[in-house]
Coordinates of all heavy atoms in Angstrom, one line a residue:
Chain A
P14 N -48.9 -21.3 10.8 CA -50.1 -22.0 11.2 C -50.4 -22.1 12.7 O -49.4 -22.1 13.5 CB -49.8 -23.4 10.6 CG -48.4 -23.5 10.5 CD -47.8 -22.2 10.3
E15 N -51.6 -22.1 13.0 CA -52.0 -22.2 14.4 C -51.4 -23.4 15.1 O -51.3 -24.5 14.5 CB -53.6 -22.3 14.5 CG -54.1 -22.3 15.9 CD -55.6 -22.3 16.0 OE1 -56.2 -22.3 14.9 OE2 -56.2 -22.4 17.1
G16 N -50.8 -23.2 16.3 CA -50.2 -24.3 17.0 C -48.7 -24.4 16.8 O -48.0 -25.0 17.6
A17 N -48.2 -23.7 15.8 CA -46.8 -23.8 15.5 C -46.0 -22.7 16.3 O -46.6 -21.9 17.0 CB -46.6 -23.6 14.0
I18 N -44.7 -22.7 16.1 CA -43.9 -21.7 16.8 C -43.6 -20.6 15.8 O -43.2 -20.8 14.7 CB -42.5 -22.3 17.2 CG1 -42.7 -23.4 18.3 CG2 -41.6 -21.2 17.8 CD1 -41.5 -24.1 18.7
A19 N -43.9 -19.3 16.3 CA -43.6 -18.1 15.5 C -42.3 -17.6 16.0 O -42.1 -17.5 17.2 CB -44.7 -17.1 15.6
S20 N -41.4 -17.3 15.0 CA -40.1 -16.7 15.4 C -39.9 -15.4 14.8 O -39.9 -15.2 13.5 CB -39.0 -17.7 14.9 OG -37.7 -17.2 15.2
L21 N -39.7 -14.4 15.6 CA -39.5 -13.0 15.1 C -38.1 -12.5 15.5 O -37.6 -12.8 16.6 CB -40.5 -12.1 15.8 CG -42.0 -12.5 15.6 CD1 -42.9 -12.0 16.7 CD2 -42.4 -12.1 14.3
N22 N -37.4 -11.9 14.6 CA -36.0 -11.5 14.8 C -35.8 -10.0 14.7 O -36.6 -9.3 14.0 CB -35.2 -12.2 13.7 CG -35.2 -13.7 13.8 OD1 -35.1 -14.2 14.9 ND2 -35.4 -14.4 12.7
C23 N -34.8 -9.5 15.3 CA -34.5 -8.1 15.4 C -33.0 -8.0 15.5 O -32.3 -8.7 16.3 CB -35.2 -7.5 16.6 SG -34.8 -5.8 16.9
T24 N -32.3 -7.1 14.7 CA -30.9 -6.8 14.8 C -30.7 -5.3 15.1 O -31.6 -4.5 14.8 CB -30.1 -7.2 13.6 OG1 -30.7 -6.4 12.5 CG2 -30.2 -8.7 13.3
Y25 N -29.7 -5.0 15.8 CA -29.4 -3.6 16.2 C -28.0 -3.3 15.9 O -27.1 -4.2 15.9 CB -29.8 -3.4 17.7 CG -29.1 -4.3 18.7 CD1 -27.9 -3.9 19.3 CD2 -29.5 -5.6 19.0 CE1 -27.2 -4.7 20.2 CE2 -28.9 -6.4 19.9 CZ -27.7 -5.9 20.5 OH -27.0 -6.7 21.4
S26 N -27.7 -2.0 15.8 CA -26.4 -1.6 15.3 C -25.4 -1.2 16.4 O -24.2 -1.3 16.3 CB -26.5 -0.5 14.3 OG -27.2 0.6 14.9
D27 N -26.0 -0.7 17.6 CA -25.2 -0.1 18.6 C -24.7 -1.3 19.6 O -25.6 -1.8 20.3 CB -25.9 1.0 19.4 CG -25.0 1.7 20.3 OD1 -24.0 1.1 20.9 OD2 -25.3 2.9 20.6
R28 N -23.5 -1.6 19.5 CA -23.0 -2.7 20.4 C -23.1 -2.4 21.9 O -23.1 -3.4 22.7 CB -21.5 -3.0 20.0 CG -20.9 -4.2 20.6 CD -19.6 -4.6 20.0 NE -19.7 -5.1 18.6 CZ -20.0 -6.3 18.3 NH1 -20.2 -7.2 19.3 NH2 -20.1 -6.7 17.1
G29 N -23.2 -1.2 22.2 CA -23.3 -0.8 23.6 C -24.8 -0.9 24.2 O -25.0 -0.5 25.3
S30 N -25.7 -1.3 23.4 CA -27.1 -1.3 23.8 C -27.3 -2.2 25.0 O -26.7 -3.2 25.2 CB -28.0 -1.9 22.7 OG -27.9 -1.0 21.5
Q31 N -28.2 -1.7 25.9 CA -28.3 -2.3 27.2 C -29.6 -3.1 27.4 O -29.6 -4.1 28.1 CB -28.3 -1.2 28.3 CG -27.0 -0.4 28.3 CD -25.9 -1.2 29.0 OE1 -26.2 -1.9 30.0 NE2 -24.7 -1.1 28.6
S32 N -30.7 -2.6 26.9 CA -32.0 -3.1 27.2 C -32.8 -3.3 25.9 O -32.7 -2.5 25.0 CB -32.8 -2.1 28.1 OG -32.0 -1.7 29.2
F33 N -33.7 -4.4 26.0 CA -34.3 -4.8 24.7 C -35.8 -5.2 25.1 O -36.0 -5.8 26.1 CB -33.6 -6.0 24.1 CG -32.1 -5.7 23.9 CD1 -31.3 -5.9 25.0 CD2 -31.6 -5.2 22.8 CE1 -29.9 -5.7 24.8 CE2 -30.3 -4.9 22.6 CZ -29.4 -5.2 23.7
F34 N -36.7 -4.7 24.2 CA -38.1 -4.9 24.5 C -38.8 -5.4 23.3 O -38.5 -5.0 22.1 CB -38.7 -3.5 25.0 CG -37.9 -2.9 26.1 CD1 -36.9 -2.0 25.8 CD2 -38.2 -3.2 27.4 CE1 -36.2 -1.4 26.9 CE2 -37.5 -2.6 28.4 CZ -36.5 -1.7 28.2
W35 N -39.9 -6.1 23.5 CA -40.8 -6.5 22.5 C -42.2 -6.0 22.8 O -42.7 -6.2 24.0 CB -40.9 -8.1 22.3 CG -39.7 -8.6 21.6 CD1 -38.6 -9.2 22.2 CD2 -39.5 -8.7 20.2 NE1 -37.8 -9.6 21.2 CE2 -38.3 -9.3 19.9 CE3 -40.3 -8.2 19.1 CZ2 -37.8 -9.5 18.7 CZ3 -39.8 -8.4 17.8 CH2 -38.5 -9.0 17.6
Y36 N -42.8 -5.3 21.9 CA -44.1 -4.8 22.0 C -45.0 -5.5 21.0 O -44.6 -5.7 19.8 CB -44.2 -3.3 21.8 CG -43.6 -2.4 22.9 CD1 -42.2 -2.2 22.9 CD2 -44.4 -1.9 23.8 CE1 -41.7 -1.4 23.9 CE2 -43.9 -1.1 24.9 CZ -42.5 -0.9 24.9 OH -41.9 -0.1 25.9
R37 N -46.3 -5.7 21.3 CA -47.3 -6.2 20.4 C -48.3 -5.1 20.1 O -48.7 -4.4 21.1 CB -48.0 -7.4 21.1 CG -49.2 -8.0 20.2 CD -49.8 -9.2 20.9 NE -50.4 -8.8 22.2 CZ -50.6 -9.7 23.2 NH1 -50.4 -11.0 23.0 NH2 -51.2 -9.3 24.3
Q38 N -48.6 -4.9 18.9 CA -49.5 -3.9 18.5 C -50.6 -4.4 17.6 O -50.3 -4.8 16.4 CB -48.8 -2.7 17.8 CG -49.7 -1.5 17.5 CD -48.9 -0.3 16.9 OE1 -47.9 -0.5 16.3 NE2 -49.4 0.9 17.1
Y39 N -51.8 -4.5 18.1 CA -52.9 -4.9 17.2 C -53.3 -3.7 16.3 O -53.1 -2.5 16.6 CB -54.1 -5.3 18.1 CG -53.9 -6.5 18.9 CD1 -53.9 -6.5 20.3 CD2 -53.8 -7.7 18.2 CE1 -53.7 -7.7 21.0 CE2 -53.6 -8.9 18.9 CZ -53.5 -8.9 20.3 OH -53.4 -10.0 21.0
S40 N -53.9 -4.0 15.2 CA -54.2 -3.0 14.2 C -55.1 -1.9 14.8 O -56.1 -2.2 15.4 CB -55.0 -3.7 13.0 OG -55.3 -2.7 12.0
G41 N -54.7 -0.7 14.7 CA -55.4 0.5 15.2 C -55.3 0.7 16.6 O -55.9 1.7 17.2
K42 N -54.5 -0.1 17.3 CA -54.3 0.1 18.8 C -52.9 0.5 19.1 O -52.0 0.6 18.2 CB -54.6 -1.2 19.5 CG -56.0 -1.8 19.2 CD -57.1 -0.9 19.8 CE -58.4 -1.5 19.6 NZ -59.5 -0.6 20.1
S43 N -52.6 0.8 20.4 CA -51.3 1.3 20.8 C -50.4 0.0 21.1 O -51.0 -1.0 21.4 CB -51.4 2.2 22.0 OG -52.0 1.6 23.1
P44 N -49.1 0.2 21.2 CA -48.2 -0.9 21.5 C -48.4 -1.3 23.0 O -48.6 -0.5 23.9 CB -46.8 -0.4 21.3 CG -47.0 0.8 20.3 CD -48.4 1.4 20.7
E45 N -48.3 -2.6 23.2 CA -48.4 -3.2 24.5 C -47.1 -4.0 24.8 O -46.6 -4.8 24.0 CB -49.5 -4.2 24.6 CG -49.7 -5.0 25.8 CD -50.7 -6.1 25.7 OE1 -51.1 -6.4 24.6 OE2 -51.0 -6.8 26.7
L46 N -46.4 -3.7 25.9 CA -45.2 -4.3 26.3 C -45.4 -5.8 26.7 O -46.2 -6.0 27.6 CB -44.5 -3.6 27.5 CG -43.2 -4.1 28.0 CD1 -42.1 -4.0 26.9 CD2 -42.7 -3.4 29.2
I47 N -44.7 -6.7 26.0 CA -44.9 -8.1 26.3 C -43.7 -8.8 26.9 O -43.8 -9.8 27.6 CB -45.5 -8.9 25.1 CG1 -44.6 -8.8 23.9 CG2 -46.9 -8.5 24.8 CD1 -45.0 -9.7 22.7
M48 N -42.5 -8.3 26.5 CA -41.3 -8.9 27.0 C -40.2 -7.9 27.1 O -40.1 -7.0 26.3 CB -40.8 -10.0 26.1 CG -41.6 -11.3 26.1 SD -41.5 -12.2 27.7 CE -39.9 -13.0 27.5
S49 N -39.3 -8.0 28.1 CA -38.1 -7.2 28.2 C -37.0 -8.2 28.5 O -37.2 -9.2 29.2 CB -38.3 -6.1 29.3 OG -38.6 -6.7 30.5
I50 N -35.8 -7.9 28.1 CA -34.6 -8.7 28.3 C -33.4 -7.9 28.4 O -33.2 -6.9 27.6 CB -34.5 -9.8 27.3 CG1 -33.4 -10.9 27.6 CG2 -34.3 -9.3 25.9 CD1 -33.5 -12.1 26.8
Y51 N -32.5 -8.2 29.4 CA -31.4 -7.3 29.6 C -30.0 -8.0 29.6 O -29.0 -7.4 29.5 CB -31.5 -6.6 31.0 CG -32.9 -6.0 31.2 CD1 -33.8 -6.6 32.1 CD2 -33.3 -4.9 30.5 CE1 -35.1 -6.0 32.3 CE2 -34.6 -4.4 30.6 CZ -35.4 -4.9 31.5 OH -36.7 -4.4 31.7
S52 N -30.0 -9.4 29.6 CA -28.8 -10.1 29.6 C -28.9 -11.2 28.6 O -30.0 -11.7 28.2 CB -28.5 -10.6 31.0 OG -29.6 -11.4 31.5
N53 N -27.7 -11.7 28.2 CA -27.6 -12.8 27.2 C -28.4 -14.0 27.6 O -28.4 -14.3 28.8 CB -26.2 -13.1 26.9 CG -25.5 -12.2 25.9 OD1 -26.2 -11.6 25.1 ND2 -24.2 -12.0 26.1
G54 N -29.0 -14.7 26.7 CA -29.7 -15.9 27.0 C -31.2 -15.8 26.7 O -31.6 -15.0 25.9
D55 N -31.9 -16.7 27.3 CA -33.3 -16.8 27.1 C -34.1 -16.3 28.3 O -33.7 -16.5 29.5 CB -33.7 -18.3 26.8 CG -33.2 -18.8 25.6 OD1 -32.5 -18.0 24.9 OD2 -33.4 -20.0 25.3
K56 N -35.3 -15.7 28.1 CA -36.2 -15.3 29.1 C -37.6 -15.8 28.7 O -38.0 -15.4 27.6 CB -36.2 -13.8 29.4 CG -37.1 -13.4 30.4 CD -37.1 -11.9 30.6 CE -38.1 -11.4 31.6 NZ -38.1 -9.9 31.8
E57 N -38.2 -16.6 29.6 CA -39.5 -17.2 29.2 C -40.6 -16.6 30.0 O -40.4 -16.3 31.2 CB -39.4 -18.7 29.4 CG -40.6 -19.5 29.0 CD -40.5 -21.0 29.1 OE1 -39.4 -21.5 28.7 OE2 -41.4 -21.6 29.6
D58 N -41.7 -16.3 29.4 CA -42.9 -15.9 30.1 C -44.1 -16.5 29.4 O -44.6 -16.0 28.4 CB -43.0 -14.3 30.1 CG -44.2 -13.8 30.9 OD1 -44.9 -14.6 31.5 OD2 -44.3 -12.5 30.9
G59 N -44.7 -17.5 30.0 CA -45.8 -18.2 29.4 C -45.4 -18.8 28.0 O -44.4 -19.5 27.9
R60 N -46.2 -18.4 27.0 CA -45.9 -18.9 25.6 C -44.8 -18.1 24.9 O -44.4 -18.5 23.8 CB -47.1 -18.9 24.8 CG -48.2 -19.8 25.3 CD -49.4 -19.9 24.3 NE -50.1 -18.6 24.2 CZ -50.1 -17.9 23.1 NH1 -49.4 -18.3 22.0 NH2 -50.7 -16.7 23.0
F61 N -44.3 -17.1 25.5 CA -43.3 -16.2 24.9 C -41.9 -16.5 25.5 O -41.7 -16.7 26.7 CB -43.6 -14.7 25.2 CG -45.0 -14.3 24.6 CD1 -46.1 -14.2 25.4 CD2 -45.1 -14.0 23.3 CE1 -47.3 -13.8 24.8 CE2 -46.3 -13.6 22.7 CZ -47.4 -13.5 23.5
T62 N -40.9 -16.5 24.6 CA -39.5 -16.6 25.0 C -38.7 -15.5 24.2 O -38.8 -15.5 23.0 CB -38.9 -17.9 24.7 OG1 -39.6 -19.0 25.4 CG2 -37.4 -18.0 25.0
A63 N -38.0 -14.7 24.9 CA -37.1 -13.7 24.3 C -35.7 -14.2 24.4 O -35.3 -14.8 25.4 CB -37.2 -12.3 25.0
Q64 N -35.0 -14.1 23.3 CA -33.6 -14.5 23.3 C -32.7 -13.4 22.9 O -33.0 -12.6 22.0 CB -33.4 -15.6 22.2 CG -34.3 -16.9 22.5 CD -34.2 -17.9 21.4 OE1 -34.2 -17.5 20.2 NE2 -34.1 -19.2 21.8
L65 N -31.6 -13.2 23.6 CA -30.7 -12.1 23.4 C -29.3 -12.6 23.2 O -28.8 -13.5 24.0 CB -30.7 -11.1 24.6 CG -29.7 -10.0 24.5 CD1 -29.9 -9.1 23.3 CD2 -29.8 -9.2 25.8

Side-chain angles (χ1 to χ4, degrees):
Chain A
E15 183 175 358
I18 296 175
S20 178
L21 303 159
N22 299 313
C23 172
T24 59
Y25 58 93
S26 60
D27 189 332
R28 188 169 288 277
S30 297
Q31 297 284 325
S32 311
F33 308 85
F34 307 92
W35 283 100
Y36 287 83
R37 177 177 62 199
Q38 186 175 26
Y39 292 116
S40 181
K42 303 296 186 182
S43 63
E45 173 192 9
L46 180 64
I47 55 171
M48 288 289 283
S49 54
I50 188 166
Y51 311 111
S52 55
N53 279 329
D55 294 0
K56 178 182 177 182
E57 186 175 317
D58 184 0
R60 295 186 296 112
F61 298 98
T62 298
Q64 300 175 317
L65 175 61

